[in-house]
Amino acid sequence: METVTTDSPRNVHIDMGARKPNARPSGEPVFEVADLAVYYGPFRAIRDVSMSIAQHQITALIGPSGCGKTTMLRCFNRMNDLIETARVEGSVRYHGADLYDKRVDPVEVRRRIGMVFQKPNPFPKSIYDNIAFGPKVAGFKGDLDDVVEESLQKAALWDEVRNRLKESAMGLSGGQQQRLCIARCIAVRPDVILMDEPCSALDPIATGRIEDLMQNLKDEFTIVVVTHNMQQAARVSDMTAFFTAEVNEEQDRRTGVLVEYDKTEQMFTNPSDERTENYVTGRFG
Amino acid sequence: MAIAAKGPRTSDVVAQQLRGRSTDVKGIIFQAALLFALLLSLLILLVLIADVARGGLGVFQERGGEFLRGRLTVVSPTTAGVGQGIVGSLLLLIFVVLMAFPVGVAAAIYLEEYASDTRFNRFIDVNIRNLAGVPSIVYGLLGLVIFVQVLAPLTGGKTVMAGGLTLAILVLPIVIITSMEALRAVPDSIREAGFGVGATRWEVIRSHVLPAAAPGILTGTVLSISRAIGETAPLLVVGATTGLLATGGRGFFESFREGYTALPVVVFRWTSLPNEDFRALTSAAIIVLLIMTLSANAIAIILRNRYERKW
Ligand SMILES: Nc1ncnc2c1ncn2[C@@H]1O[C@H](COP(=O)(O)OP(=O)(O)OP(=O)(O)O)[C@@H](O)[C@H]1O
Ligand SMILES: [Mg+2]
């Protein structure tokens, strides 16, 4: 695989489908993705994605709706296994180990690589049980009350729910539910947290808190976040990957490709691909 | 501007537009047809109940508890009662619940949560649906061959056990289908949430999917039980007693390997008698049967409301 560091001459011409200069983030890679393609039945949702994601950094995935960000994110913790029609080609390595090896147990993968979904999906149970479930199935033996409090505090939700922990999580507002899902994810202390638009249902204050939270979590966790919010990507992430959907002649549908992947600062101030520039400046998508 | 002042006021125009068409004839006709259908079925039900009540209530006034305890006989209307029928029906129900509920729910979980969407599994799915529509007499014949004859050493022939097993396989497809539908109604996002925190499939099913589907599963099960309460034909085939029945005196577990009768069988038998005195008894037995069925339905509703969840 060809990887070009950021200080090498940038490739500025637009060359559909050819390998883009993929920056290699500094620091040890948690994920190394090579030639990844994902199919839903016959439909190819993304193709030719190669990138590597560094430890203790925040990597943002941006791009127009339907370009395959969620699909990409779900490859990192084998969530696509749950979709019967989905098929993954290429390789995803996690700390050097092949995630899609036959001997790999997806349950073990998901204990280490947690996920916050695009739509808030609390269990129809109490707030407390929502958070306690993960540690319980992971065989946690300590004080669950402490885990619940700590997780809720980290997710900036504790003050709002401390007196109603036994009430149903379905009674929370959308934004509160999303923070609950973040707390639930933190509670199992994963190595990596995958976040799919964690702030799409939040007000600016809660969004700010989640962004602070992400900065704090960075020391402990590696974060990959999908966002539609350019400012957010610019504010919180260290690396940014821009995806777009290209017309797929055979199927008359659009297949997602990785256009450019670089340091966030670079992506927003001096992108090498015109499409990236158009997108981040709001002229497209 | 001056131009604006000349025309009609904006608020009037908008108010006019919002009023909509005054009469929606098609809508009204359709609504009336729906109401008529509803009233018609209610009316039929009412006539039925009134008819049965007129015939049967007298029996309860005259004989009361004695009728409820009495034995099945076709010769003496003054001593005949539904006691054995009630006991028989209850014993059958215990069997149906013990057999059909666990097996049916397990099959539904397998088909809905584990089985992949292959052609073979879809074939099974379709056939279970077909089985639910098979006439009950066919199950009776099946029960006669398998439970009464082949498995006679186990069931003891024409016994509660054979009858209960027959009814259990009769309602099994219904339990499976309603449970599958209840499981399917649980949104996938809940499963993903469970998998997302590193739970195994079984942990997700046990902790989240089953509790969320419980109201639907319980409702379906209780409804299929109330169907089993009313079944007559298969029981006649697998040998529910229609004449004098000597039971009792032995323990609870032995009673499963004895002869039996059931309420609908009692009703059936008495209806076919020429003696006028049995008419009233038949109506009274129908009232008891209706009460049992309605109680089962009431339990279904209570369970559903008790466990109802939102997501
Ligand atoms: N379960 C699925 N089955 C079939 N096709 C799917 C499935 N999930 C996604 N797709 C298709 O794959 C493509 C990429 O979808 P994906 O959800 O990854 O986009 P996205 O970038 O996350 O979009 P958004 O920003 O709107 O969330 C879309 O064309 C979508 O229709
Ligand atoms: Mg998405």
Side-chain angles (χ1 to χ4, degrees):
Chain A
M1 194 189 91
E2 183 196 8
T3 47
V4 185
T5 47
T6 36
D7 40 27
S8 68
R10 287 207 328 274
N11 181 352
V12 278
H13 69 273
I14 297 167
D15 170 4
M16 310 283 274
R19 290 268 159 65
K20 290 286 135 356
N22 284 346
R24 213 184 168 77
S26 55
E28 190 180 327
V30 172
F31 292 108
E32 287 155 292
V33 180
D35 301 319
L36 187 81
V38 181
Y39 295 80
Y40 293 111
F43 168 61
R44 186 162 63 174
I46 55 176
R47 65 172 172 88
D48 298 328
V49 177
S50 297
M51 66 192 291
S52 88
I53 285 171
Q55 195 157 31
H56 300 314
Q57 289 202 347
I58 300 178
T59 305
L61 309 184
I62 61 171
S65 185
C67 69
K69 305 179 295 295
T70 300
T71 303
M72 178 72 216
L73 201 66
R74 290 167 62 100
C75 288
F76 289 128
N77 68 343
R78 303 251 332 227
M79 224 37 174
N80 285 330
D81 291 19
L82 302 175
I83 298 173
E84 220 158 318
T85 56
R87 189 160 51 83
V88 175
E89 275 177 10
S91 89
V92 182
R93 295 189 162 272
Y94 170 65
H95 292 293
D98 182 3
L99 262 192
Y100 286 81
D101 189 289
K102 279 200 177 58
R103 287 160 298 178
V104 168
D105 179 1
V107 171
E108 289 299 327
V109 172
R110 295 181 202 124
R111 285 203 175 140
R112 288 165 181 75
I113 307 169
M115 185 158 206
V116 177
F117 296 85
Q118 189 162 2
K119 278 184 235 136
N121 57 350
F123 301 125
K125 301 216 155 160
S126 73
I127 294 168
Y128 186 97
D129 289 344
N130 258 277
I131 294 174
F133 177 71
K136 265 192 221 155
V137 295
F140 178 75
K141 290 281 178 296
D143 190 349
L144 274 175
D145 292 0
D146 288 346
V147 175
V148 171
E149 175 170 350
E150 193 194 318
S151 310
L152 284 170
Q153 234 148 17
K154 280 191 185 163
L157 187 60
W158 174 250
D159 293 333
E160 286 157 70
V161 301
R162 59 190 305 171
N163 295 322
R164 48 192 284 208
L165 293 177
K166 295 286 166 205
E167 285 172 32
S168 167
M170 305 316 282
L172 297 174
S173 76
Q176 288 172 327
Q177 288 184 4
Q178 190 61 293
R179 278 177 284 158
L180 180 69
C181 293
I182 294 174
R184 181 175 68 188
C185 181
I186 300 170
V188 293
R189 294 172 204 278
D191 174 37
V192 181
I193 301 179
L194 308 173
M195 295 179 161
D196 200 348
E197 295 185 45
C199 301
S200 57
L202 300 185
D203 64 80
I205 296 169
T207 301
R209 290 215 220 132
I210 297 296
E211 287 176 6
D212 292 346
L213 161 73
M214 287 163 73
Q215 292 299 346
N216 297 336
L217 292 177
K218 213 164 103 166
D219 301 335
E220 259 180 272
F221 309 96
T222 302
I223 299 175
V224 184
V225 58
V226 170
T227 178
H228 272 296
N229 182 328
M230 291 306 117
Q231 287 88 351
Q232 180 169 62
R235 274 194 303 266
V236 300
S237 69
D238 302 295
M239 296 290 294
T240 298
F242 171 62
F243 290 78
T244 195
E246 276 179 359
V247 179
N248 170 344
E249 261 85 22
E250 318 111 73
Q251 291 173 323
D252 198 26
R253 286 187 65 175
R254 293 169 154 260
T255 296
V257 289
L258 175 60
V259 175
E260 190 171 357
Y261 179 42
D262 209 331
K263 292 208 172 77
T264 298
E265 205 191 317
Q266 190 75 31
M267 290 286 279
F268 281 91
T269 54
N270 197 3
S272 58
D273 195 298
E274 199 180 6
R275 290 170 292 173
T276 312
E277 188 170 353
N278 289 343
Y279 188 75
V280 299
T281 53
R283 258 175 277 157
F284 163 69
Chain B
M1 266 200 281
I3 309 158
K6 279 181 192 151
R9 285 221 322 271
T10 319
S11 60
D12 292 339
V13 175
V14 172
Q16 186 61 42
Q17 284 167 347
L18 287 180
R19 254 167 231 146
R21 277 176 297 154
S22 49
T23 45
D24 176 9
V25 180
K26 275 186 205 150
I28 291 169
I29 293 175
F30 187 59
Q31 217 175 335
L34 292 179
L35 189 65
F36 177 74
L38 175 68
L39 290 179
L40 189 69
S41 31
L42 276 182
L43 188 73
I44 293 172
L45 193 65
L46 274 181
V47 169
L48 208 74
I49 289 177
D51 185 49
V52 169
R54 199 161 45 90
L57 283 181
V59 176
F60 291 105
Q61 277 158 5
E62 278 167 41
R63 300 180 42 204
E66 194 244 311
F67 172 74
L68 291 178
R69 284 189 301 273
R71 283 165 164 260
L72 169 61
T73 158
V74 292
V75 284
S76 117
T78 47
T79 59
V82 289
Q84 291 175 323
I86 294 176
V87 171
S89 283
L90 288 178
L91 288 176
L92 287 172
L93 279 195
I94 292 175
F95 235 91
V96 172
V97 173
L98 289 183
M99 304 306 296
F101 180 71
V103 176
V105 174
I109 291 176
Y110 175 77
L111 286 172
E112 203 51 41
E113 304 289 327
Y114 287 92
S116 51
D117 188 24
T118 59
R119 199 173 285 205
F120 177 67
N121 287 324
R122 258 179 306 200
F123 176 76
I124 291 181
D125 189 306
V126 168
N127 277 290
I128 290 174
R129 280 162 205 281
N130 288 338
L131 281 180
V134 169
S136 57
I137 188 102
V138 176
Y139 283 99
L141 294 171
L142 186 75
L144 179 66
V145 173
I146 296 181
F147 302 127
V148 177
Q149 291 167 2
V150 176
L151 293 180
L154 177 74
T155 59
K158 300 184 167 187
T159 60
V160 172
M161 202 188 266
L165 286 169
T166 305
L167 287 184
I169 59 163
L170 170 81
V171 298
L172 194 57
I174 309 173
V175 175
I176 296 177
I177 293 170
T178 49
S179 303
M180 279 174 76
E181 251 133 49
L183 291 169
R184 200 171 303 160
V186 177
D188 270 341
S189 63
I190 289 179
R191 294 184 182 85
E192 290 195 332
F195 289 123
V197 292
T200 61
R201 190 168 284 273
W202 170 238
E203 283 160 349
V204 171
I205 293 173
R206 194 198 51 201
S207 304
H208 303 295
V209 179
L210 272 185
I217 293 177
L218 290 176
T219 317
T221 304
V222 180
L223 288 180
S224 59
I225 285 169
S226 69
R227 156 120 197 247
I229 295 177
E231 277 298 340
T232 323
L235 289 181
L236 290 172
V237 178
V238 295
T241 309
T242 51
L244 203 60
L245 177 65
T247 52
R250 288 200 273 166
F252 178 71
F253 288 104
E254 281 82 33
S255 62
F256 286 110
R257 298 196 56 188
E258 284 181 348
Y260 65 101
T261 191
L263 265 180
V265 175
V266 173
V267 172
F268 170 78
R269 187 68 186 107
W270 285 347
T271 329
S272 55
L273 294 176
N275 189 337
E276 270 296 329
D277 297 332
F278 277 105
R279 288 283 146 77
L281 292 189
T282 309
S283 295
I286 290 175
I287 292 175
V288 177
L289 185 57
L290 276 180
I291 289 174
M292 272 178 90
T293 314
L294 290 182
S295 327
N297 289 349
I299 291 171
I301 292 169
I302 291 170
L303 284 176
R304 192 184 51 210
N305 292 349
R306 166 71 97 31
Y307 292 103
E308 193 143 78
R309 278 158 212 276
K310 292 192 210 74
W311 44 69

